[in-house]
Amino acid sequence: MAAGKGSGTRQVLLVTGGSRGIGAAIVREAVAAGYDVCFSFRSDREAAETLAASFPTGAGRAHAVRGDVADPGFARAFFEEATGHFGEPTAVVNNAGITGRIGRFADLPVEVLRQTLEVNVIGTMLLSQMAVRRWEAIGQTGNIVNISSVASTLGAPSEYVHYAASKAAIEGFTIGLGKEVAASGIRVNTVAPGTTLTDIHAAGGDPDRPQRVAANIPLGRCADPEEIARCVLWLLSAEASYVTATVLRVGGGL
Ligand code: NAP
């Protein structure tokens, strides 16, 4: 599954929200596979810079960029920073995402609803649009992997219905865009993780959520971030060359 090393041209991967959690696991797996990785973070500079500095020479390389995916200027700035550092990106992982506050939908403030949709949906769409525009303009093939959630089909009642809806939007977007750009040699797929051991649950106000829901997962446990990251890397690889416009569910049976 090596990307950069031995394949002639180096593969340059963009990962949003790569400083922690699933995104950081994607960065680690991609660098180990030989990609040069430009990853973004929003606020935790220390986590991002510690990760970027952690890789041995001889693997791929990593570079951290600060930015909010919901910012309309972010997509262009992220591509240009990566291009200046490593060359034109060849793949994008839209990983950055938030649940917003956990609770009943009737109690949800409009600000949380808007922010969740802006980050999860608009952020994914804007970076994907930038990738497609640039790659089609220069005749380059490419690869986009989005991150949704099993919540997209389970609905997450009493937890985060708005988040589930945002992830369902990503899946519909993936199917449509994947078909639209297939003739340009651009593959677009989504990984839909189940509950994964990261800080996202604490950030939403429910740090014990993974332990609580584990008993309802057929495999009997939550995922480690690396188990999600390895599926993303497979979709990015040539081994998945006939896979596009689809959703790979990685939910331990959910
Ligand atoms: P996490 O541990 O909370 O990490 C989130 C990452 O995204 C951090 O690097 C954070 O940067 C970044 N980020 C957050 N908001 C951002 C914004 N507006 N712009 C740019 N970067 C932003 O999250 P995670 O659990 O790894 O989740 C990653 C993805 O998997 C999300 O799309 C999430 O919805 C999805 N997912 C997670 C689970 C799960 O159980 N963990 C399950 C299904 C799907 P800072 O470090 O600077 O804050």
Side-chain angles (χ1 to χ4, degrees):
M1 216 178 287
K5 287 180 292 186
S7 61
T9 51
R10 292 193 74 89
Q11 301 290 308
V12 178
L13 172 66
L14 298 185
V15 180
T16 62
S19 57
R20 296 186 290 112
I22 293 171
I26 295 168
V27 172
R28 286 192 294 271
E29 293 284 334
V31 169
Y35 288 85
D36 288 332
V37 182
C38 197
F39 67 93
S40 78
F41 65 100
R42 182 186 47 178
S43 53
D44 191 345
R45 179 174 293 280
E46 191 182 343
E49 291 184 348
T50 301
L51 179 65
S54 69
F55 299 108
T57 51
R61 298 163 292 180
H63 176 62
V65 178
R66 187 171 186 280
D68 187 331
V69 294
D71 178 342
F74 170 75
R76 181 178 301 282
F78 195 28
F79 259 88
E80 287 179 359
E81 176 84 13
T83 301
H85 220 80
F86 296 131
E88 178 70 19
T90 54
V92 168
V93 178
N94 285 302
N95 165 77
I98 56 171
T99 60
R101 197 177 72 195
I102 292 175
R104 293 194 73 241
F105 182 70
D107 301 327
L108 190 75
V110 66
E111 297 75 26
V112 177
L113 176 57
R114 281 195 196 283
Q115 192 193 13
T116 305
L117 291 169
E118 288 270 344
V119 172
N120 296 0
V121 182
I122 305 292
T124 292
M125 287 182 170
L126 289 177
L127 192 60
S128 300
Q129 187 180 53
M130 182 61 59
V132 167
R133 283 178 178 165
R134 289 177 71 112
W135 294 341
E136 287 186 337
I138 60 176
Q140 179 184 301
T141 60
N143 215 318
I144 298 173
V145 175
N146 302 317
I147 306 293
S148 64
S149 166
V150 295
S152 64
T153 53
L154 300 176
S158 301
E159 289 198 305
Y160 29 58
V161 166
H162 62 295
Y163 169 80
S166 77
K167 295 302 189 178
I170 288 174
E171 295 182 2
F173 172 66
T174 298
I175 293 165
L177 184 65
K179 291 177 180 177
E180 189 168 302
V181 300
S184 300
I186 300 170
R187 291 192 295 113
V188 185
N189 292 290
T190 280
V191 168
T195 303
T196 306
L197 297 169
T198 74
D199 294 338
I200 200 169
H201 314 284
D206 192 0
D208 298 330
R209 185 175 180 276
Q211 289 67 36
R212 199 176 61 249
V213 303
N216 296 325
I217 299 171
L219 282 182
R221 62 175 179 84
C222 299
D224 284 324
E226 284 69 22
E227 293 177 289
I228 309 302
R230 285 195 290 271
C231 297
V232 171
L233 266 288
W234 176 74
L235 282 171
L236 291 174
S237 78
E239 290 175 28
S241 55
Y242 200 61
V243 182
T244 197
T246 199
V247 178
L248 176 58
R249 199 173 175 89
V250 189
L254 276 185

